[in-house]
Amino acid sequence: MPHTRTGVPYGWYGGPARSDVPAARVDPEAEPEPVHAPAGDDPEPAAVEIPHPQEGPGVAELVARAVARGIREREDAEDDGQRSRLRAGGPRRGSGVTEVPVRLPFRAHPNPPAAPAPASAAPRRTPAAPGRRVPRGDDRLREHRGPVLPGWAAVLVGALALTGCAAVLWRAGVVPAVVVAAFGATPRAYHGLRATHWPPLAFLGVVALVALGGLGRARAGHAWVLTLFGRYRGTVRRTGLTWVSPLLLRRRVDVRLRHWRSDPMPAVDSGGLALQVVVQVVWQVKDTARATLAVEDHTEYLAEQVESAMARVLSQLPADAFHEDAPTLRDAEAVGDALTRMLAAETEAVGIEVYSAQPIRIEYAPEVAEAMRRRRVAAIDAKHRDTVLTSVVDAVDDTVHRLTSRGLVELDDYERKALVKDLTVAFYTGRAE
């Protein structure tokens, strides 16, 4: 028997009990129908007919409907959340995700939006396009001043060391009496070199050897590059008598302003025509360390770079433009400027500074020289004819215009054409002669 609370049946779980039979509902506003007693009889208490209220859903059914509606709304909300998570790309909780490649016969979106990159991911660096790079020198290999002393100081130290050695030998009696008498000293008897004589002799001998062995004559316009066991120790640009440690290896480098004139070198222009070019380069060694240690032979390196830069510059323009006004290789100043800039960039890594690189002769190769000469002559002749024809036409037009404008003659079209023809032939024949 289910428990009841305030007339509403409750089940074992504490909620309203469900019943297949709807409970009766009483309408409080409905008026009861009057009861009539039968006539002629004594009035007896009659049973009062209570009208049955209209049947409808009971309280239990209303509560059940409300509970069912709440459950349905919660399930719909969960379904909507799962759909939104699926649209956002997140998997369902408790389920595995496996990517399956699918090829669609059409695009799902005409222009699919690009997926945003994660904020924590670093931007990828696009690899640079491969190409020719200018050589760069070693930053640690730069010219600096090397250890050097004036020559007079080394001479003084060497002289003092030799004097000390002579004094020790004199005290030991090794110096002959004739030499001692020449210096006005008293000769001493020789008793042999003792152990006390060897240390000062050795020390003074080493000092004299180092002092006199490091002397050198530095010439103007040259420098010494000093190395110790293969390591660069500095550069000496001083002139005259100098002292450098005899332990350092010296390499003489010419730092004067120099010029180099090449032999005829083969090249091609932008049209592929073979050329022979002679180039003159004015250059100077600025960094002796790089010129000596960064390359095996800086003069040979310069010659190779001149040929390479010349080939790149000359291949950008034609040697001659016969029938049009266009830049050509005959513009020596422009070609020289381009060649100088390119060559200076190529040789900076080896300590060479290029001041000027000028092509002094650009000629066609022997195999094409005759054909190009004829073409050049034909182009010059055509240009001359065009110039003459232009001047003749201008003269004829001016003559006809003056005759007609001043009223000297009156010409119809036929007469005008004839006059123009005769004047053209006359003027052109006179210019040709």
Side-chain angles (χ1 to χ4, degrees):
M1 186 72 181
H3 300 281
T4 59
R5 183 183 300 174
T6 64
V8 180
Y10 274 73
W12 61 272
Y13 56 88
R18 297 185 61 181
S19 175
D20 295 336
V21 180
R25 184 176 61 183
V26 179
D27 191 357
E29 297 181 359
E31 297 180 359
E33 295 181 359
V35 179
H36 301 279
D41 296 333
D42 295 334
E44 294 180 0
V48 178
E49 295 183 1
I50 300 175
H52 296 283
Q54 298 180 357
E55 296 182 358
V59 176
E61 186 174 358
L62 293 176
V63 173
R65 289 181 181 179
V67 172
R69 189 182 305 109
I71 294 174
R72 193 182 310 113
E73 290 178 356
R74 185 175 59 186
E75 291 179 353
D76 293 342
E78 290 180 358
D79 292 342
D80 294 341
Q82 291 177 0
R83 292 194 194 98
S84 62
R85 285 196 298 271
L86 289 177
R87 289 194 213 101
R92 286 192 178 186
R93 183 173 56 187
S95 61
V97 178
T98 303
E99 295 184 0
V100 179
V102 179
R103 298 184 179 273
L104 300 177
F106 54 88
R107 304 175 93 183
H109 299 281
N111 295 316
S120 60
R124 295 182 179 179
R125 297 181 59 184
T126 57
R132 186 182 60 84
R133 297 184 299 174
V134 178
R136 296 181 57 186
D138 189 359
D139 294 335
R140 297 172 297 179
L141 190 62
R142 291 186 179 275
E143 179 181 336
H144 60 84
R145 185 178 179 182
V148 61
L149 291 176
W152 61 266
V155 171
L156 180 60
V157 172
L160 293 176
L162 291 177
T163 304
C165 289
V168 172
L169 293 177
W170 171 72
R171 291 180 62 85
V174 178
V175 181
V178 179
V179 177
V180 174
F183 283 94
T186 304
R188 299 177 68 91
Y190 176 68
H191 299 289
L193 293 175
R194 300 176 182 178
T196 56
H197 296 153
W198 288 111
L201 283 176
F203 174 74
L204 294 174
V206 170
V207 170
L209 182 63
V210 171
L212 300 179
L215 290 175
R217 182 174 58 91
R219 294 184 298 175
H222 293 78
W224 282 337
V225 177
L226 308 179
T227 57
L228 178 63
F229 304 115
R231 183 179 179 183
Y232 174 66
R233 301 300 298 174
T235 300
V236 176
R237 288 180 177 263
R238 296 183 62 171
T239 59
L241 186 62
T242 57
W243 180 87
V244 178
S245 174
L247 299 178
L248 299 176
L249 179 63
R250 311 174 191 180
R251 296 184 184 181
R252 190 181 297 274
V253 181
D254 191 348
V255 294
R256 294 175 296 182
L257 189 65
R258 305 164 66 182
H259 73 278
W260 176 77
R261 180 170 178 169
S262 69
D263 296 330
M265 295 182 295
V268 294
D269 65 352
S270 60
L273 295 176
L275 304 173
Q276 284 189 346
V277 186
V278 178
V279 181
Q280 181 174 349
V281 183
V282 180
W283 60 284
Q284 185 180 21
V285 173
K286 281 297 184 182
D287 194 323
T288 56
R290 290 186 174 185
T292 306
L293 304 177
V295 68
E296 183 176 1
D297 188 351
H298 60 276
T299 56
E300 184 178 354
Y301 178 84
L302 175 64
E304 296 294 337
Q305 291 300 324
V306 167
E307 186 173 358
S308 174
M310 182 199 64
R312 293 198 299 270
V313 171
L314 298 187
S315 62
Q316 299 176 3
L317 295 174
D320 291 294
F322 299 106
H323 302 289
E324 58 182 5
D325 294 333
T328 64
L329 298 179
R330 303 303 174 185
D331 189 356
E333 185 175 358
V335 175
D337 292 344
L339 185 60
T340 301
R341 288 193 300 268
M342 187 174 296
L343 193 59
E346 295 288 345
T347 57
E348 183 181 2
V350 296
I352 296 178
E353 184 173 0
V354 177
Y355 296 101
S356 173
Q358 188 69 31
I360 58 178
R361 190 170 72 229
I362 300 178
E363 298 178 349
Y364 289 102
E367 58 270 18
V368 298
E370 185 62 26
M372 299 309 298
R373 187 187 66 82
R374 292 195 299 266
R375 184 177 177 184
R376 183 183 300 175
V377 170
I380 294 175
D381 184 65
K383 187 174 182 179
H384 175 69
R385 290 176 180 272
D386 182 70
T387 304
V388 171
L389 183 59
T390 302
S391 62
V392 168
V393 171
D394 292 341
V396 171
D397 179 69
D398 184 63
T399 302
V400 174
H401 177 71
R402 288 185 179 184
L403 291 175
T404 55
S405 62
R406 295 181 181 181
L408 299 178
V409 293
E410 294 182 0
L411 305 174
D412 55 8
D413 292 341
Y414 179 77
E415 293 174 346
R416 181 186 294 273
K417 292 179 181 179
L419 180 60
V420 168
K421 179 180 178 181
D422 295 340
L423 290 176
T424 302
V425 172
F427 288 165
Y428 193 82
T429 304
R431 291 293 182 89
E433 294 176 355

